[in-house]
Amino acid sequence: MRTAVFSCKPYERPFLEAANAAAGHELVFLDASLCGATAGLAGGMRAVSIFVGDDASAPVLRALHEGGTRLLALRSAGFNHVDLSEAERLGVSVARVPAYSPYSVAEHAVGLMLTLNRKFHRAYARVREQNFALGGLMGFDMHGKTVGVIGTGTIGEVVCRILRGFGCTLLASDPSRNPACEAMGVRYVSLEELYRASDIVTLHCPLTPTTRHLIDGAALGAMKPGVMLINTSRGAVVDTRALIGALKRGHVGLVGLDVYEEEGDLFFKDLSAEVIQDDVFVRLLTFPNVLITAHQGFFTREACEGIARTTMDNVTGFDRAGAPGIPEANRVTLRLHA
Ligand code: NAI
């Protein structure tokens, strides 16, 4: 099946080609991201594959549908960038990669915690300048600290497993409890208790209408002074302006972000020679206690293999049998977007 692959970076292409070797779909790799201006590039292609920074809003979906597209194959677990009501109305099936390597994102989240805590990024720069002084590099033992995990699905569970190895006390909040987490001693508590008791709060829930700006001014104010906040889920789970306020007041001590509310205009691009217009993001960059990575939590070889394999399975399933051909766990419907 002819498939337009938007936002396809050179590092991703070999994984998709390998995953497609047996099925032999005609993949048209596009560097461009999907938006109103580029939807026409998919004209005549029944399947379109997109990544997290692509725009699958209602007008873009209508343009794709007019061009003959009937399958939107997401190369991500998150689907908050897709207007699902419009997709259902148009009869465009949406498939995702619900799980690839949960270790990739979980290990990245823990990496952010350790880097912020032990300041590897600052130590690296210092030592290269032959500055071997330790002032300003003091961290804390992870052992014995309390970590609040918001969202204990596939990734949150792995985070709990790793942190349990450090000897952390684990609190969690999730509307559906994960028995594997309970079995390892994670205690489900109210958000209030989680905020009050946690030295580190880490976010692993999806972005939904309920979780948009879950971490707002009130939530930040309810957290322990000096708390470390980690977000590898989706940018808009955190109200960035409120976070900046809490950082300026010194209430939030350390912040690790792999995602940002308005990352679509920034991430996955080399903007090193550009003037960045997003003043909120630029303010975030100025804090010495904020560490930002550009949505690279998923970026391990194993995860990229998994994403490519499931994406091509979704395309093949749809090619053979239409929507019912997509494995059920990979179908995205409005029901999921609660
Ligand atoms: P999952 O679907 O396995 O788990 C999500 C969990 O969040 C579920 O247990 C769900 O019940 C819970 N949840 C839903 N609403 C909640 C709420 N209001 N409060 C607390 N918990 C809530 O998803 P998975 O695979 O663990 O991924 C989690 C998120 O991580 C994804 O939705 C995506 O946004 C993000 N992600 C980020 C990546 C990156 O590269 N930074 C890569 C992959 C995923």
Side-chain angles (χ1 to χ4, degrees):
M1 185 161 58
R2 286 192 83 207
T3 304
V5 185
F6 281 92
S7 298
C8 187
K9 300 292 178 200
Y11 45 73
E12 196 188 0
R13 191 170 163 162
F15 292 106
L16 287 161
E17 284 173 337
N20 185 42
H25 298 291
E26 187 186 339
L27 304 183
V28 178
F29 296 107
L30 300 164
D31 185 44
S33 52
L34 176 65
C35 63
T38 58
L41 295 172
M45 302 201 215
R46 280 190 80 214
V48 161
S49 177
I50 64 170
F51 196 51
V52 291
D54 290 302
D55 173 4
S57 59
V60 177
L61 288 174
R62 283 196 289 275
L64 291 177
H65 181 260
E66 268 170 37
T69 298
R70 295 295 178 267
L71 171 68
L72 194 63
L74 313 182
R75 304 196 300 285
S76 60
F79 48 86
N80 50 283
H81 52 316
V82 182
D83 187 325
L84 292 178
S85 321
E86 190 64 9
E88 279 197 9
R89 199 188 66 75
L90 293 166
V92 172
S93 300
V94 182
R96 68 171 177 146
V97 184
Y100 34 100
S101 162
Y103 308 104
S104 61
V105 185
E107 290 170 9
H108 191 77
V110 176
L112 288 173
M113 286 175 204
L114 291 179
T115 305
L116 280 164
N117 174 11
R118 305 305 295 267
K119 301 168 181 54
F120 298 134
H121 51 318
R122 298 179 67 186
Y124 172 80
R126 252 189 218 191
V127 169
R128 286 180 66 93
E129 299 261 311
Q130 303 180 28
N131 175 355
F132 308 113
L134 296 184
L137 299 184
M138 188 178 285
F140 55 82
D141 285 2
M142 292 290 287
H143 182 90
K145 294 295 176 297
T146 299
V147 183
V149 182
I150 301 186
T152 51
T154 322
I155 295 170
E157 179 188 324
V158 177
V159 168
C160 290
R161 227 172 262 293
I162 297 170
L163 293 177
R164 197 184 54 153
F166 281 129
C168 296
T169 299
L170 294 162
L171 303 180
S173 168
D174 191 312
S176 49
R177 292 176 177 217
N178 178 339
C181 288
E182 290 187 303
M184 68 176 102
V186 175
R187 199 158 61 81
Y188 284 88
V189 295
S190 67
L191 274 177
E192 292 69 31
E193 185 177 345
L194 184 147
Y195 294 152
R196 192 173 56 245
S198 299
D199 301 293
I200 299 173
V201 173
T202 185
L203 308 176
H204 302 289
C205 56
L207 175 62
T208 66
T210 320
T211 62
R212 178 172 294 274
H213 286 189
L214 176 73
I215 306 300
D216 58 8
L220 291 163
M223 291 180 198
K224 267 190 181 182
V227 66
M228 181 195 293
L229 176 69
I230 302 291
N231 187 10
T232 61
S233 64
R234 283 293 179 266
V237 175
V238 175
D239 178 345
T240 312
R241 284 187 166 77
L243 177 62
I244 288 173
L247 279 160
K248 283 168 77 176
R249 282 194 301 283
H251 184 71
V252 169
L254 295 162
V255 175
L257 304 175
D258 187 47
V259 287
Y260 166 63
E261 281 189 83
E262 305 298 335
E263 69 180 48
D265 293 334
L266 300 167
F267 289 3
F268 309 123
K269 298 175 191 137
D270 178 0
L271 302 180
S272 50
E274 312 271 325
V275 174
I276 292 181
Q277 300 297 322
D278 183 335
D279 293 347
V280 174
F281 184 73
V282 172
R283 182 68 180 98
L284 268 184
L285 288 180
T286 66
F287 291 101
N289 47 351
V290 174
L291 178 61
I292 303 177
T293 52
H295 206 138
Q296 68 174 81
F298 73 97
F299 202 49
T300 64
R301 230 182 351 265
E302 291 79 2
C304 288
E305 270 163 14
I307 292 170
R309 194 172 45 244
T310 305
T311 301
M312 296 323 304
D313 286 351
N314 289 340
V315 171
T316 300
F318 185 84
D319 192 29
R320 289 200 185 128
I326 303 169
E328 196 176 343
N330 304 354
R331 282 183 229 153
V332 186
T333 59
L334 269 174
R335 189 178 44 81
L336 270 174
H337 197 52

